[in-house]
Amino acid sequence: MSAGLVTGVALLGALAGRAAVPLARRFVDLWVSAARPDVPGDPATCRRDAASDAGAGRRGNRLGATLAGAAVFGGLAAARGGDPALPAFLAMAAVGLALGLVDLACLRLPDRLVAAAAGAGGTGLVGAALVTGTPGRLLPALAGAAVSFAGYVLLALLPHSRLGFGDVKLAAALGLPLGWLGWPTLGLGLLLPHLLNGVVVLVLLAARRVRRDTPLPFGPAILAGAWLAVLLA
């Protein structure tokens, strides 16, 4: 893909990042309004100030989401510009930007957004398979989703695991494009989130920003790991 087209896709990503902010805020506001602090263990734990810190309110953080969208889209275009499945990757990335913001604010991954990512990715991959006349490539994609789902279910069921089933569903959705690109890419996409999250946790612990028992979102690491795996495929 030419530099001009990559730049154009990056600009599209900037718009997607900008649009992800109000979309994420809608889900955050729904949970804030549903919170019942008088009930012990109420699941609606996100707060408006947390949403702002995660990028759904402040001007600087809106800029961060815009820049992140440009980087994500631009990287995909540069790495996968000749792949007919690029629209599927971009569609999933657009939804992923909103998912990351919501998870940072609320430690939650909305089922509707995860389903939208899976639907957009699956539809795009079906289109790519029809255009290229390679419907057989859909089987590894579905296998990738199944393997990702099974692997994350096992991790979520381990004693003291901090993975939620939102993470499991997101991993399964991202298994579609990773499986499309092949087993090595799928393996990398399953491994990288844990490495990235480990580095982040160590840095936060060293900076005394969190404690060992502080709950942290894992969705952004899943998204970033899948993105890096696609770039390296």
Side-chain angles (χ1 to χ4, degrees):
M1 183 174 283
S2 68
L5 288 176
V6 171
T7 301
V9 174
L11 291 175
L12 181 63
L15 294 176
R18 185 84 176 180
V21 173
L23 177 59
R25 187 59 187 241
R26 286 182 59 188
F27 284 93
V28 170
D29 285 344
L30 284 174
W31 281 319
V32 169
S33 62
R36 298 178 60 190
D38 58 313
V39 178
D42 181 76
T45 56
C46 53
R47 306 182 310 277
R48 292 186 189 278
D49 58 337
S52 295
D53 291 341
R58 297 177 182 173
R59 180 179 299 177
N61 290 329
R62 290 198 299 268
L63 175 61
T66 301
L67 294 176
V72 169
F73 272 51
L76 290 172
R80 311 301 308 174
D83 193 330
L86 178 61
F89 301 148
L90 296 179
M92 297 193 77
V95 182
L97 291 167
L99 279 165
L101 288 174
V102 176
D103 201 21
L104 285 169
C106 297
L107 300 179
R108 287 179 166 213
L109 293 164
D111 285 343
R112 282 184 287 175
L113 284 180
V114 174
T123 301
L125 292 178
V126 169
L130 293 177
V131 167
T132 59
T134 55
R137 291 192 68 179
L138 294 174
L139 293 178
L142 293 173
V147 169
S148 297
F149 178 79
Y152 270 79
V153 165
L154 291 176
L155 291 175
L157 293 177
L158 289 176
H160 310 297
S161 174
R162 295 185 179 181
L163 286 178
F165 274 86
D167 300 315
V168 173
K169 297 170 198 173
L170 177 60
L174 294 175
L176 287 169
L178 294 175
W180 170 275
L181 294 174
W183 293 110
T185 302
L186 176 64
L188 193 59
L190 293 176
L191 174 64
L192 283 175
H194 302 280
L195 297 179
L196 294 173
N197 190 65
V199 171
V200 170
V201 170
L202 289 176
V203 170
L204 292 175
L205 285 172
R208 297 185 178 180
R209 297 289 301 274
V210 300
R211 299 182 304 180
R212 291 183 180 274
D213 59 347
T214 301
L216 295 172
F218 195 67
I222 298 176
L223 292 162
W227 177 68
L228 289 173
V230 172
L231 297 191
L232 296 172

